[in-house]
Amino acid sequence: MMNHLHEFLVFSDSKQNRSVLHLEDSLTAFSQITKIPVSYFDTEGRYCWSTLPEERLCNANLEYEKKGTPCTRNLLASMNISLSLPDAYIFMCEAGLIHLCFALIASGKEYGFLMAGPIAMGNDMEKMIGAFFRKTPAETMDYTCLMTLLRKMTLYTPREIAYLSTLFQNSVTGAISFSREEDLRAQRNQEQSGISSRLQQMKKEQLTLEYPHASEELLTSLIKSGSHDACQKQFSKYIEDIMVFEGGNLSITKLRLIAFITHLLQHDDTWQRNCENLYALEKINEAKTLRELMQIGKTLIAALADTAADRFYAGSSPVIKKLILHLNVHYSDDITLQKAADMVHVNPTYLSTLFKQETGLTFTAYLNRLRIRHGEDMLLNTNLSVTEIAMAAGFSSPGYFTNVFRQVHGITPREFRKRPAK
């Protein structure tokens, strides 16, 4: 591990490079006074350097920085949000501890992130430690290291954390300058130019400008399926389509996005009761560029997909979770137990046993139930024939679709379609 910040943080501007030494001194002074480590992460979210490397509580987490863990997802999501904010971003990690994140951006280029923390918040250290252990899987922790570090932590009130945030931000900006206004203007001009070019191309090709219903419906389907990566990719296309439809009007696009998410979750009382979710919606309003809107929106959309995934499967097997998320998106493909086993790299017999143990259904029964749900939706909301629906849902024949449908509902697909609406 390298010992100095300037060995990692290199700017394109020579003046700012000379200021990195001053920045390191400033951050070290912050840490010596507060006893809170400040760490530098590169643009990919990889940990590189810290003012107090031996005092980082994250050192006790054996799963720290492993791809796909809740801790890593939370860290990356928070870094993405900080990219759109001019001030330090205060967030709570999976273990219930507070972190302060400041994105280093100059002349439109990202140079990484500075993270102060973790910081303990509350008024009772024993209660804080108890809550920490309840939220942290035992098998992921080095308890000897953990207890030593926890006992060294100071408890702070919310007001004190706000003061710490100001002190941390001043420690950074006082040592090295990061001007955002010029970058924001350049970014907005570049984005508007891209939208104008696309509109001109559509006019040239005599394409009709319509609201992107298909793009919105696909995004909704991917979110509900729990497909984390797929819905983030589709989200980018959806927002770009909305921007073109609205002629590059970022304000209207933000309102469209808020309306879309609100409609998607209108019956989700749990989500609506969580103030952090409402705060995330407010962040959409604060976006000053399309890029910022993309970053905030992707974080929120990914969280919605993760919540949906947990509803489909809340068990402990990563193999089954991976398979179920795949089935939710690719249910209409030609999927067999053998192909599924090859995809998750396990023996078919083992997968069959584990799947039944974790879900209460055989692999085939689960897949058929999933296909039937989509078949029901098409029966009620499209004019497709039963044969077309059977094929679209992934069944090998209309007869097999009808037989499975009758087993589930006690009536045929045609009878189901003819039932009076409730």
Side-chain angles (χ1 to χ4, degrees), residues 153-226:
M153 295 185 77
T154 301
L155 280 174
Y156 293 94
T157 66
R159 181 181 291 273
E160 288 171 335
I161 288 174
Y163 292 151
L164 284 171
S165 177
T166 300
L167 181 61
F168 169 56
Q169 183 169 317
N170 289 342
S171 298
V172 179
T173 57
I176 193 166
S177 62
F178 297 97
S179 174
R180 297 295 304 278
E181 284 306 316
E182 185 178 337
D183 291 341
L184 287 173
R185 281 195 297 272
Q187 184 70 30
R188 282 194 290 263
N189 290 338
Q190 182 181 4
E191 291 168 355
Q192 195 63 48
S193 175
I195 296 296
S196 298
S197 297
R198 188 168 165 184
L199 285 169
Q200 289 172 7
Q201 185 64 29
M202 290 179 70
K203 186 176 181 181
K204 191 176 183 180
E205 296 176 7
Q206 297 184 332
L207 297 176
T208 303
L209 188 61
E210 297 178 342
Y211 185 82
H213 290 291
S215 184
E216 185 173 273
E217 288 170 5
L218 178 55
L219 177 59
T220 301
S221 175
L222 290 171
I223 292 171
K224 290 181 177 179
S225 74

Side-chain angles (χ1 to χ4, degrees), residues 27 51 64 100 103 126 131 146 152 161 185 230 252 290 311 314 348 373 381 393 396:
L27 295 175
T51 54
Y64 186 66
L100 312 175
E126 296 302 322
L146 178 63
K152 290 182 179 180
I161 288 174
R185 281 195 297 272
I252 298 298
L290 176 59
R311 287 173 182 162
R373 281 206 300 270
N381 300 302
S396 57

